[in-house]
Amino acid sequence: MTDIHMHILPGLDDGAEDIYEALEMADTAARDGVRNIVATPHFNVPGEEGYTKEEYTHAFRRLQRAIDDEHIPVSLFDGAENFAAENISSLISSGRAKTLADSRYILIEFDFGCEAEFANRIAGEILSLGLVPVIAHAERYEFVRDDVFGALRALREAGCVIQLNRGSLEGSFGADVMEAAHFIVSNRLCDVVASDAHGARFRTPRLSGAADTVADETSGQYARLLFGINPQRMIADKSIIRP
């Protein structure tokens, strides 16, 4: 499996607190069957100071060395979860917003209460730059839950990729989000599932249980697409396969 959304870099956001927790997250993911991890700390969050390019590079290289020293069988790739403020297009154009593993795919997070019109406009701006917005945890947005078919159809037809959180399938974000997540999976409306892990004990990077759930509700082929094939194609900068 490949996990394209994990807050594993220590000290950059509300994810791993230190290098030891980051290593525990990497080890947990590896033991659960994950072979590729994209580090996606929050970027451009309103009201937060954030981190510099140098701080990111230092944290990434330090964790990579530690993973190699501990012989944990995972490959680490760089990325970020970019908040979709009005300035996100300029941050992308200036090279400050990171894509996933230096690919055309860029992980985008919206305010949970944003309007569909705003999300579609921002997505269109990013697409016009030649990148593919990956809509982080789409099931958690109010505008999606208000009209799942309409909201996700508009985003997907525009060219976006829909990412779902494994924790949403397990009720980690409430009953409404869990219901939406299962509806999205059952109707094959998402393209990739990721952990969005923030720690070693809370919101962990275990994906196998969610993969089993998707296989049980749909098919093993669809589960392999969401947890393995599509995320791997994304970090290889290849076009995803639509369900």
Side-chain angles (χ1 to χ4, degrees):
M1 295 183 288
T2 291
D3 195 341
I4 62 153
H5 186 173
M6 190 185 298
H7 299 264
I8 193 172
L9 293 185
L12 297 188
D13 65 358
D14 58 345
E17 289 190 2
D18 52 38
I19 192 69
Y20 304 105
E21 184 171 28
L23 283 172
E24 188 174 352
M25 292 171 69
D27 185 62
T28 297
R31 292 176 183 275
D32 198 51
V34 172
R35 291 296 172 261
N36 303 293
I37 294 172
V38 185
T40 55
H42 292 288
F43 174 72
N44 197 41
V45 178
E48 295 187 9
E49 184 176 348
Y51 47 84
T52 66
K53 181 179 179 180
E54 291 74 21
E55 288 171 333
Y56 182 101
T57 300
H58 173 75
F60 184 90
R61 290 178 177 172
R62 184 185 180 210
L63 179 57
Q64 181 65 77
R65 286 194 301 269
I67 287 173
D68 292 342
D69 290 344
E70 295 296 324
H71 305 290
I72 300 172
V74 294
S75 296
L76 188 66
F77 297 86
D78 65 342
E81 182 178 18
N82 304 280
F83 187 83
E86 288 286 358
N87 65 341
I88 188 61
S89 294
S90 63
L91 291 173
I92 292 172
S93 298
S94 67
R96 293 177 61 192
K98 279 185 171 294
T99 63
L100 300 174
D102 296 318
S103 71
R104 80 193 80 167
Y105 297 96
I106 183 165
L107 188 64
I108 298 295
E109 177 183 34
F110 295 104
D111 182 271
F112 291 118
C114 85
E115 300 291 334
E117 181 181 3
F118 176 82
N120 289 321
R121 176 170 64 82
I122 294 294
E125 291 178 5
I126 295 171
L127 286 159
S128 71
L129 297 174
L131 298 180
V132 178
V134 180
I135 309 302
H137 40 63
E139 72 283 358
R140 297 183 66 190
Y141 303 120
E142 291 180 12
F143 79 91
V144 171
R145 297 200 304 275
D146 287 344
D147 179 16
V148 177
F149 270 120
L152 297 188
R153 182 174 64 245
L155 289 167
R156 295 177 89 204
E157 288 181 354
C160 299
V161 170
I162 303 302
Q163 181 251 304
L164 185 141
N165 273 10
R166 70 92 175 164
S168 297
L169 292 166
E170 301 165 359
S172 299
F173 305 102
D176 290 345
V177 173
M178 182 171 67
E179 181 180 358
H182 283 277
F183 182 87
I184 289 167
V185 165
S186 297
N187 288 279
R188 292 171 168 80
L189 294 172
C190 69
D191 304 295
V192 57
V193 176
S195 70
D196 190 8
H198 278 63
R201 294 164 188 80
F202 174 72
R203 292 178 69 176
T204 69
R206 293 183 178 88
L207 284 176
S208 61
D212 290 341
T213 296
V214 172
D216 290 342
E217 292 187 8
T218 57
S219 69
Q221 181 180 10
Y222 186 44
R224 288 189 293 273
L225 189 68
L226 299 187
F227 291 84
I229 297 171
N230 272 347
Q232 179 61 40
R233 293 180 69 86
M234 290 165 66
I235 64 173
D237 204 21
K238 297 179 179 179
S239 297
I240 66 163
I241 300 170
R242 295 288 189 184

